[in-house]
Amino acid sequence: MEELKGNQLFPVFLKLNQLHTVIIGAGLVGLEKLNAVLAQSEQAGITVIAEEIAEQVYDLAKRSPQVKLLKKSYTADDLVQADIVIAATNNNVLNEEIIRDAHALKLLVNVADKPDLCDFYLGSIVKKGDLKIAISTNGKSPTIAKRLKELFNDNLPGELDITLQQMSLLRNTLKGDFNSKVKKLNEVSAVLTEPVAQKNSFPKFRLLVWLTIVLSIAVLIAVFWQREPEFQTFVAEINPMFYWFLAGGFIFAMVDGAIGMSYGVTSTAFSLSMGIPPASASMGVHLSEVLSNGIAGWMHYRMGNINWKLFKLLIIPGILGAVTGAYLLSSLEHYGTYIKPFISLYTLILGGVILSKAFNVAKKRVGGKIKKITLLGLFGGFIDAVGGGGWGSIVLSSLIAGGRNARFSLGTVKLTRFFIALMSSLTFITMLKSAHWEAVAGLVIGSALAAPIAAKVSNRISVKSIMVAVGIIVIAVSLRSIIMFIIKVI
């Protein structure tokens, strides 16, 4: 019989709490099927039949009193009271017997890992409160179904269930005939289909972001002008070092936009190699990141790449860690000569991390999503301020390795970086008595020019090749700084 083209399945949603499900088999596969049914209907009536029952099945049944366990051999009479049948045994002969008995009673049956023998599939389900989305690949690729489930789970906000409840309340208040109710609901829900980048869905937030960026830059410039005579002198006479840092800031920001990390570590390693003290180097990096990450964060917001729940978990701990790190590093300014090799050692380690990640980028992740987001933000902010970089290398890489969506993690980390860089910069300005403005200005302007370009091309560049190059350069520059210090001491 010629294979039918296209997906011939008809999706339905069963009221499992009003039906009786019989599962034959209670090993690991039976446990998986039992979990799948209970995950979609906690009140589903289920009977599990098996000669051997796994301990996990016993534990699950204790927590779900509506689940009945029968430790016995299967017989055809076990299906008399069934509405749905799931065969989860590793015995093909027994599975075929279950299929015959089920079909004789006009029952639908699912056979684990045997798509051709199934009357229905237990597909991947996305659940957000009352919203459920079933995903089917027609049995062709369970992996694709799983990845799509992860994508929807990451991108659909939990607050969507609130929207559903509010729409339900609105629906109950509407009067008139059916057509008029449908028309009104269509008008109200039309905003859900409007692209964020083209519609004014969040005009107040957009205005707030732009005002924050503009005011932050204005405040920083005003503080520089009043506190730093060096800054006024710099405006009148540009040091040639400015152009080196201008080019470096542009290149480092482009790399950072492509792989979501390494701006801080590359800029710090470069600054130290140019003779800039650690505290001033970190300040220059963070000042340049105020504008560049503000622009990059805005671009990612416009493209819809922000996970707002993740943003809230990262922002406060990240700021606290960054301010603490900046304060400690500034307090040790007089010991900059001795701190410099330790910072170089830190950038050397990060260079190795970046290089290792370049060759592990295609590996399959292990384990579930990272849970301790606030601790990650606190640690990342502190290390970032002390070492002049590392927010992207530490936070972004941890989020992605922990199973977070790469595109949304990149956009969220970029936006939070703006606020963290701002607070770190203000702390450095308050604490430090002097600064190397030629380096600061070069990094600020160079990274700002690259930021909007980098955000747009972040998905069009070979990540692995860039990470390899960056890792090698950072390691080489850091080693040079360490060796020069050792030679000087000797």
Side-chain angles (χ1 to χ4, degrees):
M1 183 177 179
E2 186 179 352
E3 183 178 355
L4 294 174
K5 294 182 179 180
N7 193 326
Q8 302 297 315
L9 301 174
F10 184 77
V12 296
F13 290 89
L14 302 175
K15 296 181 179 180
L16 292 178
N17 59 317
Q18 299 179 17
L19 301 174
H20 188 75
T21 303
V22 174
I23 301 176
I24 298 95
L28 294 180
V29 177
L31 175 64
E32 178 184 351
K33 298 296 184 181
L34 179 59
N35 271 315
V37 174
L38 290 175
Q40 302 309 318
S41 179
E42 299 85 353
Q43 302 301 319
I46 305 171
T47 297
V48 179
I49 301 169
E51 294 180 355
E52 298 294 334
I53 299 178
E55 190 64 32
Q56 298 97 315
V57 176
Y58 277 116
D59 294 339
L60 186 56
K62 290 178 182 178
R63 301 193 300 270
S64 305
Q66 78 279 11
V67 175
K68 181 180 180 181
L69 302 182
L70 297 179
K71 190 174 181 180
K72 60 182 286 294
S73 300
Y74 164 79
T75 64
D77 293 337
D78 294 325
L79 304 185
V80 173
Q81 302 298 323
D83 296 303
I84 300 172
V85 180
I86 298 176
T89 79
N90 58 2
N91 186 329
N92 292 331
V93 175
L94 177 57
N95 286 339
E96 291 177 359
E97 180 184 347
I98 295 170
I99 294 172
R100 289 194 299 270
D101 293 340
H103 287 172
L105 296 172
K106 307 298 182 181
L107 299 176
L108 298 179
V109 60
N110 171 274
V111 182
D113 299 325
K114 300 290 183 180
D116 293 341
L117 302 179
C118 293
D119 297 318
F120 67 93
Y121 302 138
L122 300 181
S124 293
I125 306 294
V126 178
K127 185 177 180 181
K128 299 287 183 177
D130 283 332
L131 174 67
K132 281 189 180 180
I133 301 174
I135 302 170
S136 167
T137 60
N138 204 21
K140 303 298 184 184
S141 177
T143 300
I144 292 296
K146 180 181 179 181
R147 294 291 174 258
L148 288 174
K149 176 182 177 179
E150 292 175 350
L151 178 65
F152 280 120
N153 274 324
D154 287 342
N155 298 338
L156 291 177
E159 292 81 1
L160 190 57
D161 187 53
I162 298 176
T163 303
L164 291 178
Q165 306 308 325
Q166 292 173 343
M167 289 294 291
S168 177
L169 293 174
L170 175 61
R171 177 188 178 192
N172 293 333
T173 62
L174 295 178
K175 298 180 179 180
D177 58 18
F178 178 77
N179 289 334
S180 63
K181 290 181 179 180
V182 171
K183 183 177 180 180
K184 181 61 178 178
L185 288 174
N186 286 340
E187 292 175 359
V188 174
S189 60
V191 68
L192 298 175
T193 63
E194 296 179 357
V196 174
Q198 300 177 6
K199 304 294 182 179
N200 295 322
S201 302
F202 303 100
K204 292 182 179 180
F205 180 79
R206 290 184 178 184
L207 180 61
L208 178 61
V209 170
W210 277 113
L211 285 176
T212 303
I213 294 174
V214 173
L215 289 175
S216 300
I217 296 172
V219 169
L220 291 174
I221 292 176
V223 172
F224 299 162
W225 192 265
Q226 292 180 2
R227 287 181 53 86
E228 301 292 345
E230 295 178 35
F231 182 72
Q232 300 178 28
T233 303
F234 169 75
V235 173
E237 185 176 349
I238 298 178
N239 189 305
M241 186 177 288
F242 164 78
Y243 299 104
W244 287 101
F245 279 87
L246 177 69
F250 184 88
I251 295 172
F252 302 149
M254 285 294 295
V255 172
D256 185 74
I259 64 177
M261 63 182 74
S262 86
Y263 177 81
V265 62
T266 51
S267 299
T268 300
F270 177 72
S271 298
L272 294 178
S273 69
M274 297 291 285
I276 306 298
S280 296
S282 185
M283 186 186 76
V285 169
H286 287 89
L287 282 172
S288 63
E289 288 182 327
V290 171
L291 184 58
S292 63
N293 280 278
I295 295 172
W298 172 249
M299 294 295 294
H300 281 288
Y301 163 72
R302 291 290 301 273
M303 293 184 289
N305 293 348
I306 309 298
N307 182 325
W308 293 110
K309 183 178 180 180
L310 183 62
F311 175 86
K312 293 175 182 177
L313 292 173
L314 284 174
I315 186 66
I316 300 301
I319 289 176
L320 291 176
V323 170
T324 303
Y327 178 82
L328 290 177
L329 187 62
S330 301
S331 301
L332 300 174
E333 180 185 11
H334 297 297
Y335 302 95
T337 303
Y338 304 99
I339 296 174
K340 185 175 180 179
F342 291 100
I343 302 301
S344 296
L345 179 61
Y346 167 70
T347 57
L348 174 65
I349 294 172
L350 281 186
V353 171
I354 293 172
L355 195 60
S356 66
K357 288 183 181 297
F359 294 100
N360 294 331
V361 71
K363 283 189 176 182
K364 184 179 179 181
R365 67 177 179 89
V366 179
K369 291 184 180 179
I370 183 170
K371 301 296 183 182
K372 298 180 180 179
I373 303 296
T374 53
L375 292 179
L376 176 65
L378 183 66
F379 177 74
F382 178 81
I383 296 298
D384 178 82
V386 172
W391 178 257
S393 301
I394 294 171
V395 177
L396 180 62
S397 59
S398 297
L399 291 173
I400 295 176
R404 294 278 171 174
N405 179 275
R407 182 166 63 91
F408 283 84
S409 295
L410 173 59
T412 306
V413 167
K414 279 293 182 183
L415 186 59
T416 53
R417 185 74 171 114
F418 162 72
F419 296 98
I420 289 166
L422 174 63
M423 298 308 298
S424 297
S425 300
L426 291 175
T427 305
F428 279 121
I429 293 170
T430 303
M431 295 292 296
L432 294 179
K433 297 179 179 179
S434 62
H436 293 69
W437 294 112
E438 63 278 1
V440 172
L443 287 176
V444 169
I445 297 174
S447 59
L449 291 174
I453 304 173
K456 287 185 175 292
V457 301
S458 60
N459 293 326
R460 303 180 184 179
I461 302 178
S462 173
V463 173
K464 183 176 181 178
S465 59
I466 293 177
M467 292 181 75
V468 170
V470 169
I472 292 174
I473 292 172
V474 170
I475 290 174
V477 173
S478 301
L479 281 174
R480 177 182 177 275
S481 296
I482 294 173
I483 293 171
M484 293 297 292
F485 174 79
I486 295 174
I487 293 174
K488 184 178 179 180
V489 171
I490 296 176

